[in-house]
Amino acid sequence: MNKLHLSILGLHPEPRFEEDKSHKGAPRNTRDSSFPRKREPRKIKALDSLLRGNDGFFEIPEDQKAGHQVALPNPERLWQWPPDGPTDGPLSVALRSRRMKRMTERPAATQTQDEACKDDPEALLLARFTAMDRDHGTAAFALQADLSEDAELRAALAEHPDIVAVSQIMPVHLQAGTDNAVLMGPRYLHVEREEWAALQADLNQWLQADGISLFSAASGRHYLGYTATALERVGTVDLPPLGCALNRPIGQLLAGNELRPFRRWLTELQMWLYSHPVNAERAKKARPEINSLWVWGRSPWLFSSSDVETAESLLPKATDRICDDDRALIYTDSAVLAGALHSNVASDANNPVVILSANSQPDINELLARGVSPSRPVHLIWSEPLWCYLEGDLAGWNASLDAIDRFLTQRQPAHRHTAAQARNFEIDNGVDLVWQRHHWLTTLYTRLFRSE
């Protein structure tokens, strides 16, 4: 492994366009060709400041309503980070000075990924770093990672030995149109912890009648636990991953006979949410309401109560010092990836040491507190930029890349020049792009013959 390797999802979030012969010169978004083309105009977040109105949104042209990636009227402008001009940060210097290329060998799972959803962060990470079947439920992986850090969550789950399956959930807002609804996610809702705590207490009572329990981890991730009776009520199939639905019309994502019992349950849930005091208070303040939950990643839960109580051994705890461990070190913000990498940790002593960040931004102090030397080889795997991109959150996308730049600056000795820092790591986008250093002859030629 290189001294430092960066795999940053969403680093170059340019849509995959193909030429549309019927409209010469106009790129056509083919990602969501299964969605109906005729819809009423809807609003989504404007990433281009020139198109952003007073409310932060813009209308999508009638011929471009095919998914959240049309939120980029000029995708080239977005990826030219930083937006305010060149900076001296190691990451920005490296991106400007290196050449971007396709990976020569892409993971097989990413080559065959469903055309309807090519950019779900969880599926991309599993395909690249674990070679797991993309249809494998992801909720159990994320929950295992949270259990290793969260004693209260372990105690809560230990009180429900009859749970047979788990799912991840996220409070969302369905923005209704005439014939469809667009899913707006957590960055649009900005749900306060106090709001969720009040909603969760009442929601758990409502769910108990169906044999379902709601759990919230200290990390801010939320889970549903199902009994066998609950599965008879809501069915055994979850919704598609959250990354497939953000900022998209969800009509076809909810279609199909296998989702019929789940749709019935979800309709009842939405009616219950509509009248809840939390939403009434949000409506008074002109804030979007929490009018649904997105449920995905259904996984069988095969752990007993004793297994849950000992789950803290799966990943290093925040207080563990790993300075004497010479295994490869992965630092990531993905609970799904962290849980998946350590799902069979007991049977493989060569597994890398995985540190799951407590924040959405990398923090060098989080590694130093665990005794990680700044010179130790590290593979930083970060998905936050892609999540921001999927929700159209340009400010968050910029902030996440700025945070990685700060991490690189803090990791290197203060006296080291930025250009030297920028040469001291490898960069890829976690899927199919890599930023390679120029050959030394090319660099020499550029220095000798560049125009002044």
Side-chain angles (χ1 to χ4, degrees):
M1 180 180 292
N2 294 293
K3 189 172 184 180
L4 177 63
H5 194 124
L6 308 177
S7 294
I8 308 173
L9 297 187
L11 185 58
H12 185 275
E14 183 177 351
R16 298 177 176 88
F17 286 128
E18 293 181 2
E19 289 298 324
D20 186 348
K21 297 181 180 179
S22 63
H23 298 83
K24 293 183 178 180
R28 178 171 60 90
N29 190 339
T30 60
R31 295 183 62 261
D32 301 308
S33 57
S34 60
F35 287 140
R37 303 291 292 180
K38 295 182 179 180
R39 301 189 197 93
E40 293 296 322
R42 62 182 175 85
K43 289 185 175 183
I44 59 178
K45 295 185 178 181
L47 294 181
D48 193 323
S49 59
L50 298 179
L51 298 178
R52 188 181 305 134
N54 294 331
D55 59 353
F57 293 80
F58 73 97
E59 292 285 354
I60 298 178
E62 184 67 28
D63 61 346
Q64 290 186 343
K65 292 175 291 182
H68 51 66
Q69 289 196 347
V70 300
L72 300 176
N74 184 0
E76 290 79 7
R77 174 175 299 185
L78 175 60
W79 101 268
Q80 291 177 359
W81 175 86
D84 298 326
T87 69
D88 292 331
L91 179 59
S92 55
V93 169
L95 292 178
R96 293 197 308 271
S97 62
R98 298 184 185 187
R99 56 191 179 121
M100 181 181 64
K101 293 187 64 176
R102 295 286 177 183
M103 292 182 181
T104 54
E105 295 184 5
R106 296 174 57 192
T110 62
Q111 296 175 3
T112 59
Q113 194 167 352
D114 189 351
E115 290 294 322
C117 183
K118 294 182 178 179
D119 49 10
D120 171 50
E122 294 168 349
L124 291 174
L125 289 174
L126 292 180
R128 169 71 190 281
F129 298 105
T130 67
M132 289 185 176
D133 185 349
R134 61 183 176 84
D135 293 327
H136 192 289
T138 59
F141 294 147
L143 182 54
Q144 287 175 37
D146 276 327
L147 286 171
S148 67
E149 296 278 357
D150 195 333
E152 292 186 8
L153 182 62
R154 293 196 296 271
L157 270 170
E159 296 177 358
H160 294 77
D162 53 348
I163 288 178
V164 297
V166 292
S167 296
Q168 283 187 262
I169 67 165
M170 180 66 69
V172 296
H173 175 79
L174 300 183
Q175 192 175 80
T178 56
D179 61 351
N180 216 321
V182 177
L183 184 76
M184 312 301 284
R187 291 166 181 81
Y188 176 80
L189 276 175
H190 294 292
V191 179
E192 303 291 342
R193 283 187 176 271
E194 295 78 11
E195 292 179 313
W196 178 253
L199 185 62
Q200 179 184 4
D202 296 336
L203 184 55
N204 239 331
Q205 293 184 5
W206 185 82
L207 292 170
Q208 285 178 0
D210 294 325
I212 302 174
S213 300
L214 172 60
F215 304 95
S216 290
S219 63
R221 286 177 285 268
H222 314 295
Y223 304 91
L224 291 183
Y226 306 89
T227 63
T229 303
L231 296 184
E232 296 177 2
R233 170 80 166 89
V234 303
T236 58
V237 180
D238 265 355
L239 300 174
L242 179 65
C244 300
L246 286 170
N247 233 343
R248 278 185 174 158
I250 62 169
Q252 290 205 356
L253 299 180
L254 291 169
N257 289 331
E258 59 182 5
L259 279 175
R260 185 184 297 274
F262 191 91
R263 287 197 303 271
R264 186 183 304 113
W265 175 83
L266 190 62
T267 300
E268 296 175 4
L269 171 65
Q270 291 168 350
M271 294 173 62
W272 182 88
L273 288 170
Y274 177 78
S275 59
H276 195 273
V278 168
N279 276 326
E281 188 64 25
R282 290 178 67 92
K284 289 180 182 178
K285 299 178 181 178
R287 300 174 64 196
E289 299 176 20
I290 307 168
N291 58 15
S292 188
L293 300 177
W294 197 258
V295 185
W296 80 100
R298 182 81 62 84
S299 309
W301 187 246
L302 305 177
F303 291 86
S304 65
S305 297
S306 58
D307 292 331
V308 169
E309 293 173 352
T310 59
E312 59 180 328
S313 62
L314 288 175
L315 291 171
K317 298 185 289 297
T319 55
D320 287 348
R321 294 179 61 82
I322 57 176
C323 50
D324 295 330
D325 198 320
D326 58 357
R327 289 181 294 169
L329 176 62
I330 291 177
Y331 181 40
T332 182
D333 64 341
S334 171
V336 168
L337 178 62
L341 288 174
H342 278 272
S343 60
N344 296 315
V345 65
S347 61
D348 188 357
N350 296 320
N351 272 2
V353 177
V354 180
I355 294 181
L356 176 61
S357 177
N359 305 297
S360 61
Q361 297 182 349
D363 184 359
I364 189 64
N365 294 320
E366 198 168 20
L367 297 182
L368 295 177
R370 301 188 181 201
V372 177
S373 169
S375 61
R376 177 171 177 169
V378 175
H379 193 160
L380 184 141
I381 304 173
W382 224 255
S383 62
E384 177 68 8
L386 181 54
W387 285 112
C388 291
Y389 169 68
L390 295 177
E391 287 206 52
D393 182 3
L394 178 58
W397 187 80
N398 285 322
S400 61
L401 294 183
D402 286 340
I404 295 174
D405 225 345
R406 289 193 301 272
F407 175 85
L408 296 175
T409 302
Q410 295 168 356
R411 186 177 183 270
Q412 301 289 358
H415 63 274
R416 182 167 294 179
H417 190 270
T418 302
Q421 295 175 354
R423 292 192 299 267
N424 204 29
F425 53 83
E426 301 297 325
I427 312 174
D428 64 64
N429 73 340
V431 185
D432 57 357
L433 295 177
V434 61
W435 278 258
Q436 291 185 338
R437 301 181 185 90
H438 288 289
H439 191 276
W440 69 271
L441 287 175
T442 303
T443 304
L444 178 61
Y445 178 86
T446 302
R447 291 179 178 178
L448 291 176
F449 300 101
R450 64 184 179 183
S451 58
E452 297 296 337

